[in-house]
Each structure stands twice: as structure tokens, then as C-alpha cells.
Amino acid sequence: MRQVLQRSSRVAVTKFAWSGRERLGLLRVRDDVIVLHAMRWPDEVHDPSELYPPATDVSDTEVDEAVELIERMTTDRLEGPDFADHYTEALEKVIEAKREDRELPEAPEPEKPAGNVLDLMAALQESVDKAKASRGEDTDTDAQVHEMPAKKTAAKAPAKKAAAKKSTTAKKAAGKKTTGKKASGRKPRRSA
């Protein structure tokens, strides 16, 4: 297939499954290998104008300062601890330890976050104490929990039953008063 595509200077459109979904692909030859380019279905292609940020005015000095910042941050060498794959290194150590039946290496302790970490409960309690002090209330007492009053459901049940009895007796009385209608509530048949 590679030789045919290369000799004919054509590409092939194909379907393939990836991540549990059928996708379109474009096969082409590049340097004696077949390269697969993932393509999008028409419903996956959106108008890019929806993604454009709103227009803003940027001065020339702001652009010049941004260029200077990029120049200062640019480096030609991507070396050092910031550009190492620490996850793969740690995984290799674990695999090697399991292969040799050794104890697994210990995970390094995560770095403590920089800056002050606030205890939210302490800050909230302090705020409540300040508010109580400003109102002249005692700030040394803990909050008091009161029991909620029990719901009175017993009084409602007989009222519903009484209402239900009234409606059934009203229906019976209405059924006796009807003339020319059946008690079931259906209209009588008309004769032609």
C-alpha cells in the first residue's frame, strides 16, 4: 500500500476506530512510512468566529513590552530539572523494584504550599466573636442547639377523612338528583 500510494502520488481516506469511536483518517506516505492524519466529521467542525475573543485596543508600547518579556524568557536549551520526565523516572524505579522483588521506593513528600494557609474555621469563629462583641453579647459561650418542635400531623388526618366523607355523600346525593343520566356520570345514548 505504501508503494502504491507513493508511486501514484495520492492519499487514502479511511475509517478507523479510536477511543471507542469511529473516525475519519487520511493516509499519506512520508519518508517511506504511512502517516495517519485524523480528520473531523462535518458535525465536529465549528465556525471559528464563535471562538474569537472580543476586539481590544492594544498600544504599541504594550506590544513592545510583551516582546521584551518573551525575549527575556526565551531559552535555546531545554535542559535541567524543569524539562525532565519525573513521572517516567519514578515509574521505572517501581518497575525495577518489582522485577527484583525489592521494597518499593517511597514517594517523595509533596512540597508545602507557599504562603500563609488560613484555618477557615478559626477565621470564621473569630469573625463571629467580633460580631457578638460589637453587639455586646457574651463571646465565651458556645452555640446552643435547640430541638425543633414536633410536627402536628395527627390533627390533619381526621380533617382529610371528614372532607373525603363529605365528597362521597355529595356524589351520592348528586347521583340521585340526576334525570336522564346514569349514576356512573356518563351521558345517556341518544336514539336516532
Side-chain angles (χ1 to χ4, degrees):
M1 183 173 182
R2 179 185 56 81
Q3 290 175 352
V4 171
L5 288 174
Q6 193 170 23
R7 191 175 294 169
S8 66
S9 297
R10 293 182 182 236
V11 296
V13 176
T14 184
K15 287 183 184 178
F16 64 98
W18 185 18
S19 299
R21 186 163 181 211
E22 191 175 76
R23 300 192 178 270
L24 281 178
L26 180 78
L27 298 175
R28 69 181 184 104
V29 177
R30 182 170 181 175
D31 298 331
D32 294 332
V33 295
I34 295 177
V35 179
L36 172 68
H37 296 278
M39 297 172 62
R40 302 279 183 205
W41 293 102
D43 65 323
E44 295 177 314
V45 179
H46 300 287
D47 184 16
S49 65
E50 299 172 3
L51 304 175
Y52 292 149
T56 57
D57 292 329
V58 180
S59 68
D60 289 337
T61 56
E62 289 175 321
V63 173
D64 292 339
E65 288 174 2
V67 169
E68 287 177 23
L69 178 64
I70 290 173
E71 290 295 325
R72 278 186 272 147
M73 296 177 71
T74 300
T75 180
D76 293 332
R77 297 172 36 154
L78 301 179
E79 297 175 355
D82 290 339
F83 301 104
D85 186 0
H86 300 292
Y87 175 79
T88 303
E89 292 172 1
L91 187 60
E92 288 173 352
K93 289 178 184 177
V94 169
I95 291 170
E96 194 64 32
K98 284 188 174 188
R99 185 180 297 153
E100 297 174 0
D101 289 333
R102 288 185 289 131
E103 189 173 320
L104 298 178
E106 291 189 24
E109 290 293 322
E111 295 180 15
K112 294 182 179 178
N116 297 335
V117 178
L118 297 176
D119 181 6
L120 293 178
M121 288 305 293
L124 180 61
Q125 185 62 44
E126 182 181 342
S127 173
V128 169
D129 289 342
K130 285 181 182 177
K132 283 184 177 181
S134 69
R135 291 190 301 251
E137 296 177 15
D138 186 16
T139 58
D140 294 335
T141 60
D142 291 331
Q144 296 176 359
V145 178
H146 302 284
E147 291 293 323
M148 295 293 291
K151 292 183 178 180
K152 298 180 182 179
T153 56
K156 291 184 179 179
K160 286 182 180 178
K161 289 180 182 178
K165 287 181 183 178
K166 288 180 183 177
S167 64
T168 55
T169 55
K171 286 180 183 176
K172 288 179 184 177
K176 291 179 184 176
K177 292 180 183 177
T178 58
T179 57
K181 290 185 181 178
K182 294 184 181 178
S184 66
R186 292 185 288 189
K187 292 182 179 180
R189 293 185 186 174
R190 293 185 181 182
S191 57

